Amino acid sequence: MEYIVSARKYRPMTFDSVVGQLALTTTLKNTVKSGKLAHAYLFCGPRGVGKTTCARIFAKAINCMNPTPDGEACGQCESCQSFDEQRSLNIFELDAASNNSVEHIKTLMEQTRIPPQVGKYKVFIIDEVHMLSTSAFNAFLKTLEEPPAHVIFILATTEKHKILPTILSRCQIYDFERMTVQNTIEHLKYVAEKEGIAYEEEALAVIAEKADGGMRDALSIFDQAASFCQGNITYQKVIEDLNVLDSEYYFRMVDLALENKVSDIMVLLNDIINKGFDGGLLVQGLAKHIRNVLMAKDAQTLPLLEVSEQQRQRLQEQAKRAQTTFLYSCLRLTNQCDLNYRASSNKRLLVELTLIEIAQITQPSDDAAPGSGRKPQRLKSLFKNLVQPVRPEMKPAPQVAAAEHLNSSTPNRQQPIANGGSTAPAATKPSQGLRLTGLGLSWNNLRQQSKKKIILPVDDSETSSNDANVQQDFSQQDLEIQWLAMCNRMPQRLSGIAARMKNMNPVIKAMPVVEVVVPNEIIKTEIEQIKGSIVNTLKRDLRNTGITLEFRVAEHEHTKILTRREQFDVMSSKNSAVEKLRKAFNLELA
């Protein structure tokens, strides 16, 4: 006996046997009973949900000579029998994917002129109608709007948005729904019982989820699984045959994340990858599982779960242990990983980092954990308050400056008196364990260096008294090097003028006079505002206190634009052959 696949063998023959489209089939049956038929119908929806099947059943019913009271075809009359035996001359099926030209549509239009020999109507079923070309659509418009009284068009498509609006406005549109997992499971049970195949409901649920809302896909996968399992469809054999990751991994991964067991999750991930599963599919499956757990937390969202009853109970149990904030964070992390997965050069590391972050969501924060008896943030703020910033370049200063600096840096402390035995109130000791000797200053050094010069930071705008008479010569190269170094050290607020100064070339006009040429008056005015700081910096870096700085605006030559006559005269004056050529050909300048 010839083998027929389940998708063809169990194709519905009546409206009542159509799965998952109750509203549409009821409407079509009522249309047949009332006899109020439109001249054009459009059936649209996902693949494998019954569009072409319903079109055939509807065409058979409207041509039936003795329809049943509920709008079904009788199956006994000549019209029904000729349709079942595929010899009906009143029902035509056209595949628009391969017959999409204007010539094919014109041929179809000629067939509409011939009235039916048996039955009331000629029905034209055009499948995948979105594949028609624009010219074919335009040729089809007039006939579709006003066809003969005995003609009915039934158009079927999976992509309604590709059909011209002028076509849509001439049809009654029926939108078919995706098959739910539960409806698919029930139909697969019916097929399995008819075929005498043993099954586990979990296995049929995996097939239904893999079909993604298409009954034809589900039946094709069912035949594949039945062949692999040899008449006994079990869960383990189905996931092995379809290469589907066991949902048990997702349950274990979420449980380990709730317990912050990062190491166990890494071992589990390695086990999954060693089985040949892609990391991106793992992340997508985990995101779907977490979404299902979130839906299982509330009774209102529980119907949104398209899983088997056993799977639904397990999701509800895990939802009780997982907090909503944890699930939200997991969804955000998995979604971010899914977006970055394709562009990542190290995909496994990206998945591992995502799982590590998920495992640490419920882990207590480390901010309150003590480090060496102190809180790191508190120690940092204490260090910042007690220690004054010291510049890397130091210069000697007089003793009086040292005393003033000490008083300004430690206003709440009093120095010990050097003369006599009496002292002022004792200065508060620094915090235990904090020493200033590493910064170049200490209390002992300050006492011992009362007659010595100490190193203190000075302002760049001032020069030391000991350097007042330094007159060291410098070369043009030294000047350019120090100029560029000064531009690179300028603060962020002066980044604009610093960038312009890098393009200027200072020149030694007469030692130690330095001249800088600026592009225009605006820049000259801006740079003169910081002239004092520039001069003091150059004096310090070039070791010459006699440096003076002059700014000069560059002179721009204005070029006169010559007319064509003037250009020709200039060329003629420079080259006499041009004038000879003009006279030889008797040319005139246009």
Side-chain angles (χ1 to χ4, degrees), residues 315-326:
L315 289 171
Q316 287 180 299
E317 293 175 2
Q318 191 170 69
K320 295 178 182 178
R321 301 191 299 270
Q323 297 181 355
T324 305
T325 54
F326 166 78

Side-chain angles (χ1 to χ4, degrees), residues 333-473:
L333 292 173
T334 51
N335 181 65
Q336 191 66 30
C337 179
D338 187 29
L339 293 176
N340 299 331
Y341 187 80
R342 181 174 297 181
S344 176
S345 59
N346 193 340
K347 294 179 170 52
R348 175 164 181 169
L349 179 61
L350 176 63
V351 176
E352 289 176 346
L353 290 176
T354 302
L355 295 179
I356 290 173
E357 288 186 82
I358 290 175
Q360 292 179 340
I361 292 175
T362 58
Q363 184 173 337
S365 176
D366 293 335
D367 294 341
S372 300
R374 300 183 181 92
K375 293 183 179 180
Q377 293 182 352
R378 182 178 179 183
L379 178 61
K380 183 177 180 181
S381 62
L382 178 65
F383 184 78
K384 183 189 301 184
N385 293 334
L386 292 182
V387 179
Q388 297 295 329
V390 180
R391 299 179 63 86
E393 296 184 4
M394 302 296 181
K395 290 190 176 182
Q399 179 180 357
V400 177
E404 292 177 355
H405 176 75
L406 179 62
N407 292 333
S408 62
S409 61
T410 56
N412 296 330
R413 306 176 188 271
Q414 297 185 5
Q415 290 181 313
I417 300 178
N419 299 330
S422 60
T423 62
T428 306
K429 295 183 180 181
S431 300
Q432 186 177 0
L434 181 63
R435 302 183 63 185
L436 298 178
T437 55
L439 302 176
L441 298 175
S442 68
W443 302 112
N444 292 331
N445 290 339
L446 290 176
R447 295 191 187 97
Q448 294 174 2
Q449 295 178 359
S450 59
K451 296 181 180 181
K452 299 180 182 179
K453 297 177 181 179
I454 64 174
I455 298 176
L456 289 175
V458 296
D459 191 358
D460 290 342
S461 63
E462 300 178 359
T463 57
S464 175
S465 60
N466 292 342
D467 296 337
N469 298 322
V470 177
Q471 298 291 335
Q472 180 177 333
D473 292 341

Side-chain angles (χ1 to χ4, degrees), residues 122-319:
K122 264 196 171 183
V123 183
F124 294 88
I125 301 174
I126 305 178
D127 204 2
E128 303 297 335
V129 70
H130 66 274
M131 298 294 290
L132 289 177
S133 62
T134 304
S135 301
F137 269 129
N138 293 330
F140 187 39
L141 277 176
K142 187 62 177 176
T143 305
L144 184 65
E145 183 176 14
E146 297 178 358
H150 58 270
V151 173
I152 293 178
F153 291 104
I154 303 178
L155 314 180
T157 179
T158 56
E159 301 182 39
K160 183 174 67 173
H161 60 279
K162 291 186 178 181
I163 301 178
L164 296 179
T166 50
I167 296 290
L168 296 176
S169 63
R170 290 164 166 82
C171 302
Q172 284 190 8
I173 301 175
Y174 289 80
D175 290 307
F176 284 69
E177 301 176 356
R178 292 175 65 254
M179 296 292 172
T180 64
V181 172
Q182 196 59 39
N183 286 339
T184 306
I185 292 175
E186 295 299 327
H187 189 63
L188 293 179
K189 288 181 180 179
Y190 167 78
V191 174
E193 291 172 357
K194 285 288 185 178
E195 295 292 326
I197 299 175
Y199 61 87
E200 292 180 1
E201 187 171 346
E202 285 291 314
L204 299 183
V206 173
I207 296 175
E209 292 178 11
K210 187 76 172 179
D212 193 24
M215 184 61 74
R216 182 172 60 242
D217 295 351
L219 291 172
S220 299
I221 298 172
F222 175 83
D223 289 344
Q224 176 184 342
S227 299
F228 179 78
C229 299
Q230 296 182 351
N232 185 16
I233 301 178
T234 62
Y235 177 78
Q236 291 298 330
K237 289 183 179 180
V238 166
I239 63 174
E240 180 183 355
D241 179 41
L242 302 181
N243 195 29
V244 176
L245 185 59
D246 190 355
S247 60
E248 183 65 27
Y249 284 104
Y250 299 134
F251 283 103
R252 288 173 57 191
M253 199 166 288
V254 173
D255 289 338
L256 293 174
L258 291 172
E259 299 173 5
N260 311 126
K261 294 182 178 180
V262 178
S263 301
D264 294 343
I265 291 181
M266 293 297 101
V267 173
L268 186 61
L269 173 63
N270 184 70
D271 184 27
I272 293 173
I273 293 178
N274 288 339
K275 291 181 179 295
F277 292 100
D278 181 65
L281 296 178
L282 167 65
V283 172
Q284 294 174 10
L286 181 60
K288 182 178 179 181
H289 175 79
I290 294 172
R291 176 260 183 194
N292 289 340
V293 175
L294 183 62
M295 295 298 104
K297 288 188 71 69
D298 194 342
Q300 293 181 348
T301 56
L302 201 59
L304 300 179
L305 296 178
E306 294 186 348
V307 295
S308 63
E309 188 62 32
Q310 183 179 357
Q311 197 86 342
R312 189 192 304 267
Q313 294 177 0
R314 293 196 61 187
L315 289 171
Q316 287 180 299
E317 293 175 2
Q318 191 170 69

Side-chain angles (χ1 to χ4, degrees), residues 1 25 27 43 156 162 165 198 214 235 324 329 342 344 359 370 384 402 451 458 468 497 507 513 547 551:
M1 184 177 179
T25 55
T27 304
F43 293 171
K162 291 186 178 181
Y235 177 78
T324 305
S329 301
R342 181 174 297 181
S344 176
K384 183 189 301 184
K451 296 181 180 181
V458 296
I497 189 63
V507 179
V513 180
I547 293 178
F551 297 104

Side-chain angles (χ1 to χ4, degrees), residues 15 24-32 41 43 54 58 174:
F15 285 123
L24 293 181
T25 55
T26 302
T27 304
L28 294 176
K29 286 194 296 182
N30 292 337
T31 301
V32 174
Y41 296 87
F43 293 171
C54 286
F58 185 54
Y174 289 80

